[in-house]
mmCIF file of all heavy atoms in Angstrom:
data_model
loop_
_atom_site.group_PDB
_atom_site.id
_atom_site.type_symbol
_atom_site.label_atom_id
_atom_site.label_comp_id
_atom_site.label_asym_id
_atom_site.label_seq_id
_atom_site.Cartn_x
_atom_site.Cartn_y
_atom_site.Cartn_z
ATOM 1 N N GLU B 34 104.021 57.467 7.574
ATOM 2 C CA GLU B 34 105.267 57.665 6.838
ATOM 3 C C GLU B 34 105.174 56.846 5.555
ATOM 4 O O GLU B 34 104.496 55.816 5.517
ATOM 5 C CB GLU B 34 106.452 57.174 7.657
ATOM 6 C CG GLU B 34 106.848 58.077 8.793
ATOM 7 C CD GLU B 34 108.107 57.553 9.445
ATOM 8 O OE1 GLU B 34 107.981 56.723 10.355
ATOM 9 O OE2 GLU B 34 109.195 57.958 9.030
ATOM 10 N N ARG B 63 100.151 38.106 -15.128
ATOM 11 C CA ARG B 63 101.481 37.682 -15.546
ATOM 12 C C ARG B 63 101.999 38.651 -16.623
ATOM 13 O O ARG B 63 101.239 39.099 -17.479
ATOM 14 C CB ARG B 63 101.394 36.263 -16.105
ATOM 15 C CG ARG B 63 102.702 35.691 -16.550
ATOM 16 C CD ARG B 63 102.526 34.277 -17.020
ATOM 17 N NE ARG B 63 102.108 33.400 -15.933
ATOM 18 C CZ ARG B 63 101.613 32.180 -16.118
ATOM 19 N NH1 ARG B 63 101.449 31.711 -17.341
ATOM 20 N NH2 ARG B 63 101.285 31.435 -15.098
ATOM 21 N N SER B 64 103.247 38.990 -16.531
ATOM 22 C CA SER B 64 103.914 39.899 -17.468
ATOM 23 C C SER B 64 103.339 41.308 -17.421
ATOM 24 O O SER B 64 103.386 42.033 -18.411
ATOM 25 C CB SER B 64 103.842 39.362 -18.910
ATOM 26 O OG SER B 64 104.404 38.092 -18.995
ATOM 27 N N SER B 65 102.805 41.677 -16.299
ATOM 28 C CA SER B 65 102.261 43.028 -16.182
ATOM 29 C C SER B 65 103.296 44.017 -15.655
ATOM 30 O O SER B 65 103.016 45.206 -15.564
ATOM 31 C CB SER B 65 101.053 43.006 -15.239
ATOM 32 O OG SER B 65 101.457 42.536 -13.962
ATOM 33 N N GLY B 66 104.464 43.547 -15.274
ATOM 34 C CA GLY B 66 105.498 44.448 -14.760
ATOM 35 C C GLY B 66 105.526 44.524 -13.246
ATOM 36 O O GLY B 66 106.273 45.303 -12.675
ATOM 37 N N ARG B 67 104.767 43.693 -12.595
ATOM 38 C CA ARG B 67 104.721 43.752 -11.121
ATOM 39 C C ARG B 67 106.062 43.353 -10.508
ATOM 40 O O ARG B 67 106.492 43.917 -9.490
ATOM 41 C CB ARG B 67 103.599 42.853 -10.595
ATOM 42 C CG ARG B 67 103.812 41.424 -10.977
ATOM 43 C CD ARG B 67 102.606 40.564 -10.968
ATOM 44 N NE ARG B 67 102.949 39.351 -11.699
ATOM 45 C CZ ARG B 67 102.336 38.205 -11.608
ATOM 46 N NH1 ARG B 67 101.291 38.106 -10.840
ATOM 47 N NH2 ARG B 67 102.728 37.175 -12.293
ATOM 48 N N THR B 68 106.762 42.379 -11.132
ATOM 49 C CA THR B 68 108.059 41.962 -10.584
ATOM 50 C C THR B 68 109.090 43.075 -10.730
ATOM 51 O O THR B 68 109.879 43.337 -9.814
ATOM 52 C CB THR B 68 108.554 40.692 -11.302
ATOM 53 O OG1 THR B 68 107.524 39.715 -11.255
ATOM 54 C CG2 THR B 68 109.793 40.141 -10.642
ATOM 55 N N ALA B 69 109.074 43.734 -11.880
ATOM 56 C CA ALA B 69 110.014 44.844 -12.080
ATOM 57 C C ALA B 69 109.761 45.947 -11.064
ATOM 58 O O ALA B 69 110.697 46.516 -10.493
ATOM 59 C CB ALA B 69 109.876 45.374 -13.502
ATOM 60 N N GLY B 82 119.583 52.429 2.710
ATOM 61 C CA GLY B 82 120.317 51.794 3.803
ATOM 62 C C GLY B 82 119.461 50.872 4.636
ATOM 63 O O GLY B 82 119.905 50.410 5.686
ATOM 64 N N MET B 93 110.932 32.024 -7.241
ATOM 65 C CA MET B 93 111.042 32.411 -8.645
ATOM 66 C C MET B 93 111.900 33.658 -8.848
ATOM 67 O O MET B 93 111.960 34.194 -9.952
ATOM 68 C CB MET B 93 109.647 32.654 -9.237
ATOM 69 C CG MET B 93 108.780 31.405 -9.236
ATOM 70 S SD MET B 93 107.278 31.592 -10.192
ATOM 71 C CE MET B 93 107.849 31.290 -11.840
ATOM 72 N N LEU B 94 112.561 34.123 -7.797
ATOM 73 C CA LEU B 94 113.371 35.333 -7.955
ATOM 74 C C LEU B 94 114.526 35.061 -8.906
ATOM 75 O O LEU B 94 115.230 34.059 -8.773
ATOM 76 C CB LEU B 94 113.920 35.787 -6.598
ATOM 77 C CG LEU B 94 114.886 36.965 -6.653
ATOM 78 C CD1 LEU B 94 114.160 38.254 -7.013
ATOM 79 C CD2 LEU B 94 115.632 37.133 -5.340
ATOM 80 N N ASP B 95 114.708 35.959 -9.845
ATOM 81 C CA ASP B 95 115.879 35.908 -10.702
ATOM 82 C C ASP B 95 116.905 36.874 -10.117
ATOM 83 O O ASP B 95 116.700 38.092 -10.128
ATOM 84 C CB ASP B 95 115.514 36.309 -12.129
ATOM 85 C CG ASP B 95 116.719 36.234 -13.042
ATOM 86 O OD1 ASP B 95 117.379 35.185 -13.072
ATOM 87 O OD2 ASP B 95 117.021 37.241 -13.707
ATOM 88 N N GLU B 97 119.821 37.777 -10.993
ATOM 89 C CA GLU B 97 120.451 38.734 -11.903
ATOM 90 C C GLU B 97 119.526 39.911 -12.192
ATOM 91 O O GLU B 97 119.976 41.048 -12.320
ATOM 92 C CB GLU B 97 120.854 38.027 -13.194
ATOM 93 C CG GLU B 97 122.041 37.092 -12.971
ATOM 94 C CD GLU B 97 122.229 36.113 -14.098
ATOM 95 O OE1 GLU B 97 121.373 36.086 -15.003
ATOM 96 O OE2 GLU B 97 123.215 35.373 -14.059
ATOM 97 N N ALA B 101 120.410 43.677 -11.400
ATOM 98 C CA ALA B 101 120.312 44.677 -12.465
ATOM 99 C C ALA B 101 119.364 45.800 -12.083
ATOM 100 O O ALA B 101 119.544 46.946 -12.510
ATOM 101 C CB ALA B 101 119.847 44.005 -13.755
ATOM 102 N N GLY B 103 119.202 47.052 -9.252
ATOM 103 C CA GLY B 103 119.883 47.898 -8.274
ATOM 104 C C GLY B 103 119.664 47.483 -6.841
ATOM 105 O O GLY B 103 119.979 48.244 -5.925
ATOM 106 N N ASP B 107 123.285 42.282 -0.476
ATOM 107 C CA ASP B 107 123.733 42.001 0.899
ATOM 108 C C ASP B 107 122.662 42.368 1.918
ATOM 109 O O ASP B 107 122.671 41.880 3.036
ATOM 110 C CB ASP B 107 125.005 42.786 1.217
ATOM 111 C CG ASP B 107 126.205 42.203 0.502
ATOM 112 O OD1 ASP B 107 126.146 41.012 0.151
ATOM 113 O OD2 ASP B 107 127.180 42.938 0.274
ATOM 114 N N ARG B 108 121.777 43.277 1.548
ATOM 115 C CA ARG B 108 120.743 43.739 2.474
ATOM 116 C C ARG B 108 119.406 43.051 2.229
ATOM 117 O O ARG B 108 118.400 43.450 2.795
ATOM 118 C CB ARG B 108 120.565 45.257 2.338
ATOM 119 C CG ARG B 108 121.743 46.009 2.886
ATOM 120 C CD ARG B 108 121.678 47.477 2.587
ATOM 121 N NE ARG B 108 122.854 48.120 3.134
ATOM 122 C CZ ARG B 108 122.908 48.684 4.332
ATOM 123 N NH1 ARG B 108 121.836 48.734 5.071
ATOM 124 N NH2 ARG B 108 124.013 49.218 4.785
ATOM 125 N N TRP B 111 116.504 36.759 1.637
ATOM 126 C CA TRP B 111 115.696 36.029 0.653
ATOM 127 C C TRP B 111 115.256 34.707 1.274
ATOM 128 O O TRP B 111 116.092 33.891 1.677
ATOM 129 C CB TRP B 111 116.536 35.794 -0.603
ATOM 130 C CG TRP B 111 115.819 35.111 -1.724
ATOM 131 C CD1 TRP B 111 114.492 35.065 -1.971
ATOM 132 C CD2 TRP B 111 116.449 34.376 -2.784
ATOM 133 N NE1 TRP B 111 114.237 34.355 -3.117
ATOM 134 C CE2 TRP B 111 115.414 33.913 -3.634
ATOM 135 C CE3 TRP B 111 117.765 34.064 -3.106
ATOM 136 C CZ2 TRP B 111 115.674 33.159 -4.770
ATOM 137 C CZ3 TRP B 111 118.021 33.315 -4.238
ATOM 138 C CH2 TRP B 111 116.976 32.871 -5.065
ATOM 139 N N ARG B 113 113.246 31.426 0.424
ATOM 140 C CA ARG B 113 112.759 30.708 -0.759
ATOM 141 C C ARG B 113 111.732 29.668 -0.352
ATOM 142 O O ARG B 113 112.008 28.787 0.463
ATOM 143 C CB ARG B 113 113.931 30.030 -1.468
ATOM 144 C CG ARG B 113 114.998 31.006 -1.900
ATOM 145 C CD ARG B 113 116.276 30.299 -2.273
ATOM 146 N NE ARG B 113 116.078 29.359 -3.344
ATOM 147 C CZ ARG B 113 116.925 28.377 -3.642
ATOM 148 N NH1 ARG B 113 118.002 28.194 -2.913
ATOM 149 N NH2 ARG B 113 116.673 27.567 -4.641
ATOM 150 N N GLY B 114 110.565 29.805 -0.924
ATOM 151 C CA GLY B 114 109.540 28.805 -0.697
ATOM 152 C C GLY B 114 109.903 27.520 -1.413
ATOM 153 O O GLY B 114 110.900 27.438 -2.117
ATOM 154 N N PRO B 120 104.214 16.914 -10.753
ATOM 155 C CA PRO B 120 104.226 17.385 -12.130
ATOM 156 C C PRO B 120 104.109 18.895 -12.259
ATOM 157 O O PRO B 120 104.319 19.445 -13.338
ATOM 158 C CB PRO B 120 102.996 16.711 -12.730
ATOM 159 C CG PRO B 120 102.039 16.678 -11.588
ATOM 160 C CD PRO B 120 102.855 16.502 -10.356
ATOM 161 N N LEU B 122 104.558 23.122 -11.381
ATOM 162 C CA LEU B 122 105.538 24.080 -10.918
ATOM 163 C C LEU B 122 104.831 25.186 -10.145
ATOM 164 O O LEU B 122 105.083 25.405 -8.981
ATOM 165 C CB LEU B 122 106.311 24.668 -12.077
ATOM 166 C CG LEU B 122 107.238 25.815 -11.678
ATOM 167 C CD1 LEU B 122 108.313 25.321 -10.748
ATOM 168 C CD2 LEU B 122 107.832 26.481 -12.887
ATOM 169 N N ASP B 153 105.863 37.519 -1.975
ATOM 170 C CA ASP B 153 105.649 37.367 -3.407
ATOM 171 C C ASP B 153 104.969 36.024 -3.685
ATOM 172 O O ASP B 153 105.589 34.969 -3.591
ATOM 173 C CB ASP B 153 106.994 37.450 -4.132
ATOM 174 C CG ASP B 153 106.815 37.353 -5.637
ATOM 175 O OD1 ASP B 153 105.659 37.385 -6.104
ATOM 176 O OD2 ASP B 153 107.825 37.240 -6.351
ATOM 177 N N VAL B 210 108.659 42.915 -24.910
ATOM 178 C CA VAL B 210 109.447 41.888 -25.608
ATOM 179 C C VAL B 210 109.963 42.445 -26.918
ATOM 180 O O VAL B 210 109.234 43.071 -27.634
ATOM 181 C CB VAL B 210 108.582 40.641 -25.861
ATOM 182 C CG1 VAL B 210 109.344 39.624 -26.695
ATOM 183 C CG2 VAL B 210 108.178 40.035 -24.548
ATOM 184 N N ARG I 307 117.050 54.917 9.882
ATOM 185 C CA ARG I 307 116.096 54.025 10.530
ATOM 186 C C ARG I 307 116.846 52.904 11.230
ATOM 187 O O ARG I 307 117.849 52.428 10.724
ATOM 188 C CB ARG I 307 115.161 53.414 9.488
ATOM 189 C CG ARG I 307 114.232 54.415 8.920
ATOM 190 C CD ARG I 307 113.216 53.809 8.002
ATOM 191 N NE ARG I 307 112.353 54.883 7.567
ATOM 192 C CZ ARG I 307 111.370 55.370 8.294
ATOM 193 N NH1 ARG I 307 111.106 54.847 9.455
ATOM 194 N NH2 ARG I 307 110.645 56.374 7.856
ATOM 195 N N HIS I 309 118.016 49.338 12.358
ATOM 196 C CA HIS I 309 117.998 47.996 11.772
ATOM 197 C C HIS I 309 117.590 46.998 12.847
ATOM 198 O O HIS I 309 117.679 47.297 14.035
ATOM 199 C CB HIS I 309 119.400 47.626 11.285
ATOM 200 C CG HIS I 309 119.773 48.313 10.024
ATOM 201 N ND1 HIS I 309 121.040 48.273 9.503
ATOM 202 C CD2 HIS I 309 119.051 49.075 9.187
ATOM 203 C CE1 HIS I 309 121.072 48.968 8.391
ATOM 204 N NE2 HIS I 309 119.886 49.466 8.177
ATOM 205 N N ALA I 325 112.044 26.604 10.203
ATOM 206 C CA ALA I 325 110.751 26.504 9.521
ATOM 207 C C ALA I 325 110.902 26.118 8.053
ATOM 208 O O ALA I 325 110.107 25.336 7.532
ATOM 209 C CB ALA I 325 109.999 27.836 9.631
ATOM 210 N N ARG I 330 117.342 27.382 2.494
ATOM 211 C CA ARG I 330 116.310 28.167 1.809
ATOM 212 C C ARG I 330 116.338 29.634 2.202
ATOM 213 O O ARG I 330 115.485 30.397 1.763
ATOM 214 C CB ARG I 330 114.911 27.607 2.124
ATOM 215 C CG ARG I 330 114.750 26.128 1.927
ATOM 216 C CD ARG I 330 114.954 25.679 0.521
ATOM 217 N NE ARG I 330 113.925 26.160 -0.381
ATOM 218 C CZ ARG I 330 113.918 25.921 -1.689
ATOM 219 N NH1 ARG I 330 114.883 25.223 -2.231
ATOM 220 N NH2 ARG I 330 112.959 26.393 -2.445
ATOM 221 N N GLY I 332 118.834 33.223 3.172
ATOM 222 C CA GLY I 332 120.153 33.841 3.093
ATOM 223 C C GLY I 332 120.094 35.052 2.193
ATOM 224 O O GLY I 332 119.018 35.567 1.861
ATOM 225 N N LYS I 348 124.417 33.059 0.372
ATOM 226 C CA LYS I 348 125.348 33.129 1.492
ATOM 227 C C LYS I 348 124.553 33.483 2.745
ATOM 228 O O LYS I 348 123.438 34.024 2.636
ATOM 229 C CB LYS I 348 126.433 34.169 1.231
ATOM 230 C CG LYS I 348 125.931 35.595 1.165
ATOM 231 C CD LYS I 348 127.084 36.561 0.989
ATOM 232 C CE LYS I 348 126.580 37.997 0.990
ATOM 233 N NZ LYS I 348 127.634 38.973 0.778
ATOM 234 N N HIS I 354 124.963 45.266 9.782
ATOM 235 C CA HIS I 354 125.021 46.060 8.560
ATOM 236 C C HIS I 354 125.288 47.506 8.950
ATOM 237 O O HIS I 354 124.812 47.968 9.986
ATOM 238 C CB HIS I 354 123.705 45.993 7.794
ATOM 239 C CG HIS I 354 123.339 44.621 7.339
ATOM 240 N ND1 HIS I 354 123.637 44.141 6.093
ATOM 241 C CD2 HIS I 354 122.721 43.609 7.984
ATOM 242 C CE1 HIS I 354 123.206 42.903 5.984
ATOM 243 N NE2 HIS I 354 122.640 42.557 7.122
ATOM 244 N N CYS I 355 126.010 48.202 8.114
ATOM 245 C CA CYS I 355 126.246 49.617 8.406
ATOM 246 C C CYS I 355 124.980 50.391 8.046
ATOM 247 O O CYS I 355 124.245 50.036 7.121
ATOM 248 C CB CYS I 355 127.443 50.152 7.632
ATOM 249 S SG CYS I 355 127.219 50.163 5.862
ATOM 250 N N ARG I 365 126.917 48.358 -2.916
ATOM 251 C CA ARG I 365 126.149 48.045 -4.101
ATOM 252 C C ARG I 365 127.017 48.154 -5.344
ATOM 253 O O ARG I 365 126.964 47.329 -6.232
ATOM 254 C CB ARG I 365 124.943 48.975 -4.188
ATOM 255 C CG ARG I 365 123.910 48.490 -5.145
ATOM 256 C CD ARG I 365 122.625 49.267 -5.033
ATOM 257 N NE ARG I 365 122.779 50.658 -5.298
ATOM 258 C CZ ARG I 365 122.737 51.615 -4.400
ATOM 259 N NH1 ARG I 365 122.589 51.302 -3.148
ATOM 260 N NH2 ARG I 365 122.867 52.875 -4.708
ATOM 261 N N SER I 375 125.822 37.607 -17.952
ATOM 262 C CA SER I 375 124.425 37.547 -18.371
ATOM 263 C C SER I 375 123.586 38.584 -17.645
ATOM 264 O O SER I 375 122.613 39.097 -18.196
ATOM 265 C CB SER I 375 123.857 36.159 -18.121
ATOM 266 O OG SER I 375 124.093 35.769 -16.807
ATOM 267 N N ARG I 383 115.996 47.482 -17.967
ATOM 268 C CA ARG I 383 115.758 47.425 -16.534
ATOM 269 C C ARG I 383 114.279 47.404 -16.200
ATOM 270 O O ARG I 383 113.917 47.222 -15.056
ATOM 271 C CB ARG I 383 116.422 48.619 -15.849
ATOM 272 C CG ARG I 383 117.918 48.474 -15.805
ATOM 273 C CD ARG I 383 118.573 49.720 -15.282
ATOM 274 N NE ARG I 383 120.016 49.558 -15.331
ATOM 275 C CZ ARG I 383 120.798 49.438 -14.270
ATOM 276 N NH1 ARG I 383 120.284 49.448 -13.084
ATOM 277 N NH2 ARG I 383 122.098 49.303 -14.401
ATOM 278 N N ASP I 384 113.418 47.644 -17.163
ATOM 279 C CA ASP I 384 111.997 47.671 -16.867
ATOM 280 C C ASP I 384 111.394 46.278 -16.888
ATOM 281 O O ASP I 384 110.232 46.103 -16.575
ATOM 282 C CB ASP I 384 111.271 48.576 -17.865
ATOM 283 C CG ASP I 384 111.588 50.028 -17.583
ATOM 284 O OD1 ASP I 384 111.937 50.327 -16.418
ATOM 285 O OD2 ASP I 384 111.525 50.843 -18.502
ATOM 286 N N LEU I 387 112.763 39.033 -14.674
ATOM 287 C CA LEU I 387 112.404 37.646 -14.952
ATOM 288 C C LEU I 387 111.884 36.982 -13.682
ATOM 289 O O LEU I 387 112.288 37.321 -12.577
ATOM 290 C CB LEU I 387 113.634 36.869 -15.436
ATOM 291 C CG LEU I 387 114.244 37.277 -16.770
ATOM 292 C CD1 LEU I 387 115.423 36.373 -17.082
ATOM 293 C CD2 LEU I 387 113.216 37.190 -17.879
ATOM 294 N N ARG I 388 110.986 36.051 -13.891
ATOM 295 C CA ARG I 388 110.612 35.105 -12.841
ATOM 296 C C ARG I 388 111.078 33.746 -13.316
ATOM 297 O O ARG I 388 110.555 33.223 -14.300
ATOM 298 C CB ARG I 388 109.090 35.075 -12.653
ATOM 299 C CG ARG I 388 108.549 36.223 -11.864
ATOM 300 C CD ARG I 388 107.052 36.106 -11.744
ATOM 301 N NE ARG I 388 106.552 37.128 -10.857
ATOM 302 C CZ ARG I 388 106.450 36.983 -9.535
ATOM 303 N NH1 ARG I 388 106.758 35.839 -8.987
ATOM 304 N NH2 ARG I 388 106.016 37.967 -8.791
ATOM 305 N N ARG I 389 112.064 33.226 -12.632
ATOM 306 C CA ARG I 389 112.685 31.983 -13.088
ATOM 307 C C ARG I 389 111.851 30.770 -12.713
ATOM 308 O O ARG I 389 111.323 30.682 -11.602
ATOM 309 C CB ARG I 389 114.049 31.816 -12.429
ATOM 310 C CG ARG I 389 115.102 32.726 -12.966
ATOM 311 C CD ARG I 389 115.787 32.110 -14.159
ATOM 312 N NE ARG I 389 116.685 33.095 -14.758
ATOM 313 C CZ ARG I 389 117.132 33.011 -15.994
ATOM 314 N NH1 ARG I 389 116.779 32.011 -16.773
ATOM 315 N NH2 ARG I 389 117.944 33.922 -16.468
ATOM 316 N N ARG I 391 112.636 27.344 -11.719
ATOM 317 C CA ARG I 391 113.854 26.617 -11.360
ATOM 318 C C ARG I 391 113.932 25.280 -12.097
ATOM 319 O O ARG I 391 115.024 24.812 -12.406
ATOM 320 C CB ARG I 391 113.890 26.375 -9.858
ATOM 321 C CG ARG I 391 113.839 27.637 -9.053
ATOM 322 C CD ARG I 391 115.201 28.252 -8.795
ATOM 323 N NE ARG I 391 115.032 29.510 -8.083
ATOM 324 C CZ ARG I 391 115.389 30.705 -8.520
ATOM 325 N NH1 ARG I 391 116.014 30.825 -9.690
ATOM 326 N NH2 ARG I 391 115.165 31.788 -7.823
ATOM 327 N N ARG I 413 101.113 21.995 -18.770
ATOM 328 C CA ARG I 413 101.120 22.438 -17.385
ATOM 329 C C ARG I 413 99.973 23.397 -17.113
ATOM 330 O O ARG I 413 99.733 24.319 -17.906
ATOM 331 C CB ARG I 413 102.465 23.128 -17.106
ATOM 332 C CG ARG I 413 102.689 23.528 -15.677
ATOM 333 C CD ARG I 413 102.840 22.333 -14.769
ATOM 334 N NE ARG I 413 103.862 21.395 -15.212
ATOM 335 C CZ ARG I 413 105.146 21.500 -14.922
ATOM 336 N NH1 ARG I 413 105.585 22.513 -14.238
ATOM 337 N NH2 ARG I 413 105.992 20.578 -15.334
ATOM 338 N N ARG I 414 99.299 23.180 -16.016
ATOM 339 C CA ARG I 414 98.230 24.107 -15.631
ATOM 340 C C ARG I 414 98.827 25.485 -15.384
ATOM 341 O O ARG I 414 99.886 25.629 -14.783
ATOM 342 C CB ARG I 414 97.557 23.637 -14.349
ATOM 343 C CG ARG I 414 96.539 22.545 -14.555
ATOM 344 C CD ARG I 414 95.946 22.157 -13.225
ATOM 345 N NE ARG I 414 95.238 23.265 -12.595
ATOM 346 C CZ ARG I 414 94.932 23.309 -11.297
ATOM 347 N NH1 ARG I 414 95.301 22.338 -10.514
ATOM 348 N NH2 ARG I 414 94.282 24.320 -10.808
ATOM 349 N N GLY I 415 98.159 26.474 -15.873
ATOM 350 C CA GLY I 415 98.638 27.824 -15.649
ATOM 351 C C GLY I 415 99.535 28.328 -16.758
ATOM 352 O O GLY I 415 99.827 29.510 -16.825
ATOM 353 N N ARG I 423 104.736 38.157 -30.810
ATOM 354 C CA ARG I 423 106.010 38.811 -31.095
ATOM 355 C C ARG I 423 107.123 37.961 -30.509
ATOM 356 O O ARG I 423 106.960 37.378 -29.433
ATOM 357 C CB ARG I 423 106.019 40.195 -30.461
ATOM 358 C CG ARG I 423 107.153 41.078 -30.915
ATOM 359 C CD ARG I 423 106.954 42.468 -30.351
ATOM 360 N NE ARG I 423 108.118 43.272 -30.583
ATOM 361 C CZ ARG I 423 108.324 44.460 -30.063
ATOM 362 N NH1 ARG I 423 107.405 44.992 -29.282
ATOM 363 N NH2 ARG I 423 109.414 45.138 -30.324
ATOM 364 N N ALA I 453 104.370 36.921 -21.380
ATOM 365 C CA ALA I 453 105.627 36.973 -22.126
ATOM 366 C C ALA I 453 106.595 36.020 -21.441
ATOM 367 O O ALA I 453 106.704 36.022 -20.207
ATOM 368 C CB ALA I 453 106.183 38.385 -22.143
ATOM 369 N N TYR I 454 107.272 35.211 -22.219
ATOM 370 C CA TYR I 454 108.085 34.138 -21.648
ATOM 371 C C TYR I 454 109.461 34.106 -22.299
ATOM 372 O O TYR I 454 109.643 34.587 -23.425
ATOM 373 C CB TYR I 454 107.418 32.766 -21.878
ATOM 374 C CG TYR I 454 106.015 32.673 -21.334
ATOM 375 C CD1 TYR I 454 104.925 32.999 -22.132
ATOM 376 C CD2 TYR I 454 105.788 32.266 -20.033
ATOM 377 C CE1 TYR I 454 103.629 32.919 -21.647
ATOM 378 C CE2 TYR I 454 104.498 32.179 -19.534
ATOM 379 C CZ TYR I 454 103.428 32.508 -20.338
ATOM 380 O OH TYR I 454 102.154 32.432 -19.849
ATOM 381 N N LEU I 471 108.697 36.760 -18.257
ATOM 382 C CA LEU I 471 109.098 38.163 -18.268
ATOM 383 C C LEU I 471 108.017 38.955 -17.558
ATOM 384 O O LEU I 471 106.846 38.893 -17.927
ATOM 385 C CB LEU I 471 109.274 38.675 -19.700
ATOM 386 C CG LEU I 471 110.611 38.355 -20.378
ATOM 387 C CD1 LEU I 471 110.762 36.885 -20.661
ATOM 388 C CD2 LEU I 471 110.771 39.169 -21.642
ATOM 389 N N ASP I 472 108.424 39.676 -16.547
ATOM 390 C CA ASP I 472 107.411 40.359 -15.743
ATOM 391 C C ASP I 472 107.957 41.717 -15.310
ATOM 392 O O ASP I 472 108.225 41.941 -14.181
ATOM 393 C CB ASP I 472 107.051 39.480 -14.538
ATOM 394 C CG ASP I 472 105.776 39.934 -13.856
ATOM 395 O OD1 ASP I 472 105.070 40.775 -14.425
ATOM 396 O OD2 ASP I 472 105.481 39.441 -12.759
#
Side-chain angles (χ1 to χ4, degrees):
Chain B
E34 285 185 272
R63 181 177 295 165
S64 303
S65 60
R67 61 201 165 159
T68 308
M93 297 191 82
L94 175 71
D95 181 52
E97 289 164 354
D107 287 337
R108 289 172 181 266
W111 183 24
R113 301 166 59 198
L122 173 64
D153 182 8
V210 175
Chain I
R307 290 186 178 280
H309 285 171
R330 310 298 293 178
K348 66 177 183 182
H354 298 265
C355 65
R365 196 169 60 253
S375 52
R383 287 173 183 249
D384 288 336
L387 295 181
R388 282 180 174 272
R389 287 272 173 200
R391 301 272 176 242
R413 186 68 53 86
R414 280 180 62 198
R423 192 173 171 189
Y454 304 91
L471 278 68
D472 195 11

